[in-house]
Amino acid sequence: MTQQTLAFQAEVSKLLQIVANSLYSHKEVFLRELISNASDAADRLRYEAIASPELTAGDPTFKVLLRPDQAAKTLTIEDNGIGMSRQDLIDNLGTIARSGSAAFLKQATDAKEKDVSIIGQFGVGFYSAFIVADKVEVTSRRAGSDEAWTWTSDGKGSFTVTQATRPGRGTTIVLHLKDEHIEFADPFTLRRVVKAHSDHIGLPVKLANKDGEETVNEASALWMRARKDVTEEQYKEFYQHVTHGFDEPWLTIHNKAEGRLEYTALLFVPGTRPADLYQPERKSPVRLYVRRVFVTDEAKALIPSYLRFLRGVVDTEDIALNVSREMLQHDPVLARIGSALTTKVFSELEKKAEKEPEAYEKFWENFGPVLKEGLYEDPAKRDQVFKLARFRSTASEKLTSLAEYVARMKEKQEAIYFITGDNAAVLRHSPQIEGFLARGYEVLLLTDAVDEFWVPAVALYEGKKFVSVTQGAAELGPAPASDKQERVEGGELAVLIAHLKQGLGDAVKDVRATDRLTDSAACLVAGDTDMPRHLARMLRAQGQLQGSLPGILEINPAHALIRAMAQQMTNVGAREHVLDLGRLLVDQERIREGDGPTDIAAFSKRLSDVMARALTGKVA
Ligand code: ADP
Ligand code: MG
């Protein structure tokens, strides 16, 4: 078959639309993206040629060449990298194989405006060519093959693949520039854009002129330079190159290790949260080089998954270049470098937390939930993660560390109290924490999904237990302020509890009195060994758990409503009314928790009936 027309995968069409509409003000990035692909193609061939030197024989020097043609309104970008076969062209330029693309498209579609930062964090890649071109032709020949194919598209739903010829291996991309973008056929513009965005990639970028070719970038590995010789601006350019983004690094770690392990690392903590942070199939965040030769971006052993927000490169002398990528995954040297890097990253984060606590909060908001995975994934590093962790708490609106919490603990307080939920503002007003606050205890407000997992896994911080305020019985004793308050007690209380327990049936697991409450009449809690109620809600939302778990209804014997309910128990005719009140209390707490009443119709009717009785006085 010499020519075939194929449709883009639906996601590609969608992406192309988003790119065309939102990246207008960043149109220059197309060049960075295409040069970066040429550089990747050179990297991949350089690595393959270690085992198969014949692949680069006759043309051993990698480069990318820009050929502007103002008369024809085209810009041609030519590389002698690994090239693409016909199938590669179809797979790579007709689909989005990248991890996180589904998540990205959802976010980008949901984003109110043309949110460049989201696209930036995903990396538009090759498709950015359509920001400036209304037609793109890609002719490519895979190293080692003598077939060439041309991929052509106007970016509007389909592309064509045609048999072609190309003198040697590599890829030639012809951009037919839109009228409003012919500036990209101007050598001055090209020099400026390459300088600004691709100055420090390893591959030389050349520009064709009437006398031949000129090199327009530095083409040296930035990470190998001494830190003092690199400017902020250069770090930023390199950061944007590795992230394909537009934002600035939040933290730059440039580190050269000598001695037992020899490596250079240039790592960045991004300024914004990448779209694919929670995609299990994503690549390693850090590119591994061995003596300046790119080896893999899939060395998962290098960076622990709870530091997967990092971006950058690691270049080492300690690994043999001819080790296969599979073997590499288990190379103990890689694990040792990873461990050393982790320690380095921790200490840099600690410094930043100490010196710039406010800037640190921004980091924590972005990546804290990921870092907290380290608490259960890497027990050996747990103490270091705890040092970096910040929490919302009832002590103030500001974030707090655990060390600060412990320093504030009351004299007789033995545990670190916490509550989990979706929203800190809502948690601050949870009835379950009232009694703790009344006694001067501070409660941590944990709102990340991961909190449900690390807390049970760690059990202790500096010998102190983590105790949920929504779980098990709270033995707090009466609150200091409520000492003089009237409360129902003894037989009277027992009669009410027995009545509610019997009447509520399966709607609750148990009914009991509590010291946990001061202002509220009732709350729901989970039994000691039950699944935490917030975790159950999370799992239900994900479809991993069916049905709702009945909670334990705890009532406040000092509350006016509970006292009145107890009194009503002497009136046999009012008992059904008391039970209605009990049912309403259960539903009220279910609403507060976010589940809502079990039977919304019955709830509404009951509420109206009870209100009517309250006004007419006819309870029996
Ligand atoms: P990414 O570079 O993040 O993988 P792109 O959209 O930039 O995504 O490119 C998609 C794929 O197309 C690349 O992964 C690569 O396999 C292929 N590709 C693009 N440009 C080239 C090129 N110049 N030479 C060889 N392969 C290329
Ligand atoms: Mg790319």
Side-chain angles (χ1 to χ4, degrees):
M1 202 181 311
T2 55
Q3 174 158 356
Q4 194 180 7
T5 301
L6 294 147
F8 282 122
Q9 182 195 24
E11 281 87 351
V12 175
S13 294
K14 217 164 145 190
L15 179 68
L16 279 168
Q17 244 174 353
I18 296 172
V19 166
N21 292 328
S22 50
L23 283 181
Y24 194 82
S25 54
H26 292 264
K27 51 185 183 296
E28 299 177 359
V29 302
F30 84 89
L31 194 56
R32 176 187 83 192
E33 291 304 313
L34 297 183
I35 290 174
S36 127
N37 284 348
S39 166
D40 291 347
D43 281 346
R44 285 166 58 201
L45 182 54
R46 199 180 281 125
Y47 181 74
E48 271 195 22
I50 295 166
S52 318
E54 71 283 0
L55 289 177
T56 52
D59 185 9
T61 318
F62 292 97
K63 66 171 184 185
V64 55
L65 176 65
L66 311 180
R67 279 183 206 282
D69 185 336
Q70 278 170 310
K73 295 191 209 163
T74 59
L75 169 62
T76 301
I77 297 153
E78 211 173 282
D79 70 60
N80 57 352
I82 196 160
M84 284 177 275
S85 67
R86 180 175 177 279
Q87 198 56 43
D88 289 340
L89 283 168
I90 295 172
D91 294 344
N92 297 336
L93 309 185
T95 62
I96 315 180
R98 207 129 16 117
S99 68
S101 55
F104 158 73
L105 281 169
K106 183 166 177 345
Q107 278 188 38
T109 317
D110 292 351
K112 270 187 235 83
E113 276 293 293
K114 304 151 177 175
D115 192 342
V116 166
S117 71
I118 293 178
I119 298 178
Q121 286 305 311
F122 178 71
V124 276
F126 168 78
Y127 300 109
S128 60
F130 289 98
I131 307 172
V132 296
D134 46 24
K135 182 177 161 193
V136 178
E137 292 169 281
V138 182
T139 301
S140 198
R141 177 169 155 187
R142 181 79 163 76
S145 154
D146 13 87
E147 262 185 32
W149 291 86
T150 299
W151 176 104
T152 311
S153 178
D154 60 4
K156 297 212 174 72
S158 68
F159 60 89
T160 307
V161 187
T162 319
Q163 188 132 37
T165 54
R166 196 182 190 282
R169 66 164 200 261
T171 303
T172 304
I173 301 177
V174 182
L175 304 177
H176 296 266
L177 297 169
K178 296 176 185 170
D179 283 338
E180 64 270 34
H181 296 314
I182 44 173
E183 80 240 45
F184 293 108
D186 174 0
F188 286 101
T189 310
L190 294 173
R191 272 189 214 105
R192 179 183 63 74
V193 175
V194 170
K195 269 290 184 201
H197 300 295
S198 311
D199 209 19
H200 295 100
I201 61 161
L203 187 71
V205 180
K206 308 223 171 196
L207 182 64
N209 58 31
K210 56 182 191 315
D211 306 318
E213 294 170 8
E214 62 184 285
T215 303
V216 281
N217 70 337
E218 283 280 336
S220 72
L222 186 74
W223 62 89
M224 294 311 291
R225 296 205 200 160
R227 207 163 22 184
K228 63 174 176 33
D229 299 331
V230 186
T231 65
E232 284 303 308
E233 203 45 41
Q234 289 168 335
Y235 279 132
K236 179 177 153 189
E237 175 209 320
F238 191 76
Y239 164 76
Q240 295 186 337
H241 163 70
V242 294
T243 60
H244 303 271
F246 310 96
D247 62 338
E248 306 210 354
W250 179 82
L251 181 67
T252 302
I253 302 172
H254 190 179
N255 176 36
K256 193 172 172 67
E258 271 158 348
R260 232 165 38 81
L261 286 173
E262 278 189 30
Y263 64 86
T264 300
L266 176 49
L267 301 179
F268 302 98
V269 176
T272 45
R273 195 183 314 170
D276 60 352
L277 214 44
Y278 291 96
Q279 302 296 315
E281 71 280 14
R282 69 202 295 283
K283 292 183 176 169
S284 159
V286 170
R287 295 163 63 90
L288 177 68
Y289 287 73
V290 173
R291 286 173 224 107
R292 258 66 70 220
V293 176
F294 169 75
V295 174
T296 179
D297 52 7
E298 292 180 37
K300 299 222 165 170
L302 195 54
I303 297 288
S305 96
Y306 58 88
L307 293 181
R308 62 184 177 272
F309 50 82
L310 292 170
R311 294 290 182 272
V313 304
V314 172
D315 195 335
T316 178
E317 313 279 326
D318 294 339
I319 292 174
L321 247 178
N322 53 8
V323 178
S324 77
R325 289 199 177 99
E326 290 67 39
M327 292 287 288
L328 197 62
Q329 297 296 346
H330 311 287
D331 196 314
V333 172
L334 213 56
R336 284 215 297 279
I337 294 177
S339 175
L341 284 175
T342 304
T343 303
K344 175 76 185 161
V345 170
F346 279 141
S347 79
E348 291 295 316
L349 287 173
E350 268 171 44
K351 259 192 243 167
K352 189 97 172 167
E354 209 165 286
K355 285 194 197 136
E356 297 170 58
E358 282 182 18
Y360 186 76
E361 292 204 359
K362 173 97 173 51
F363 159 78
W364 187 254
E365 297 294 342
N366 278 336
F367 303 118
V370 175
L371 197 53
K372 279 190 279 186
E373 291 171 12
L375 291 172
Y376 55 83
E377 272 181 10
D378 196 352
K381 297 268 173 18
R382 182 175 292 161
D383 289 344
Q384 277 155 294
V385 179
F386 266 142
K387 252 192 218 163
L388 292 169
R390 296 292 179 273
F391 303 88
R392 305 233 162 262
S393 99
T394 53
S396 81
E397 293 288 329
K398 287 209 301 250
L399 292 175
T400 182
S401 69
L402 280 183
E404 289 164 336
Y405 179 102
V406 169
R408 283 189 296 263
M409 277 171 71
K410 300 262 289 182
E411 210 174 308
K412 290 212 179 99
Q413 183 180 346
E414 277 166 9
I416 297 169
Y417 295 115
F418 71 92
I419 181 168
T420 55
D422 297 328
N423 179 317
V426 173
L427 289 182
R428 267 179 215 283
H429 298 105
S430 303
Q432 289 93 338
I433 69 176
E434 289 171 359
F436 293 85
L437 297 188
R439 291 161 182 85
Y441 299 147
E442 178 177 347
V443 179
L444 298 177
L445 312 169
L446 306 183
T447 53
D448 294 320
V450 62
D451 294 326
E452 293 289 1
F453 303 99
W454 71 258
V455 177
V458 309
L460 295 176
Y461 169 76
E462 294 196 345
K464 313 233 166 10
K465 264 209 264 186
F466 288 90
V467 169
S468 167
V469 305
T470 62
Q471 189 126 22
E475 270 139 36
L476 288 165
S482 66
D483 275 348
K484 295 170 283 302
Q485 241 177 297
E486 252 184 88
R487 355 171 0 113
V488 271
E489 277 162 328
E492 229 187 328
L493 182 61
V495 169
L496 174 63
I497 288 177
H499 179 59
L500 289 176
K501 212 187 286 199
Q502 203 226 334
L504 292 172
D506 289 344
V508 293
K509 191 178 170 188
D510 196 5
V511 180
R512 66 189 181 208
T514 185
D515 298 324
R516 200 187 311 261
L517 301 167
T518 58
D519 299 335
S520 300
C523 67
L524 289 172
V525 298
D528 263 326
T529 54
D530 290 349
M531 182 184 289
R533 295 184 63 71
H534 176 246
L535 176 60
R537 262 194 308 287
M538 264 168 45
L539 295 178
R540 267 203 304 280
Q542 293 166 9
Q544 293 186 44
L545 187 75
Q546 255 73 51
S548 65
L549 300 175
I552 297 170
L553 179 70
E554 291 196 340
I555 56 175
N556 175 2
H559 193 278
L561 174 62
I562 302 300
R563 290 191 349 244
M565 283 165 74
Q567 265 167 23
Q568 288 286 343
M569 288 301 294
T570 51
N571 176 355
V572 177
R575 289 193 168 185
E576 195 50 36
H577 178 63
V578 170
L579 199 53
D580 270 346
L581 293 170
R583 291 186 181 114
L584 282 177
L585 282 174
V586 173
D587 278 339
Q588 168 188 297
E589 290 314 302
R590 290 180 53 95
I591 292 171
R592 195 199 311 260
E593 289 183 334
D595 287 334
T598 349
D599 179 344
I600 190 80
F603 165 76
S604 309
K605 178 168 182 330
R606 194 171 295 129
L607 185 58
S608 314
D609 289 351
V610 164
M611 289 190 288
R613 274 178 241 148
L615 288 181
T616 57
K618 286 188 203 143
V619 290

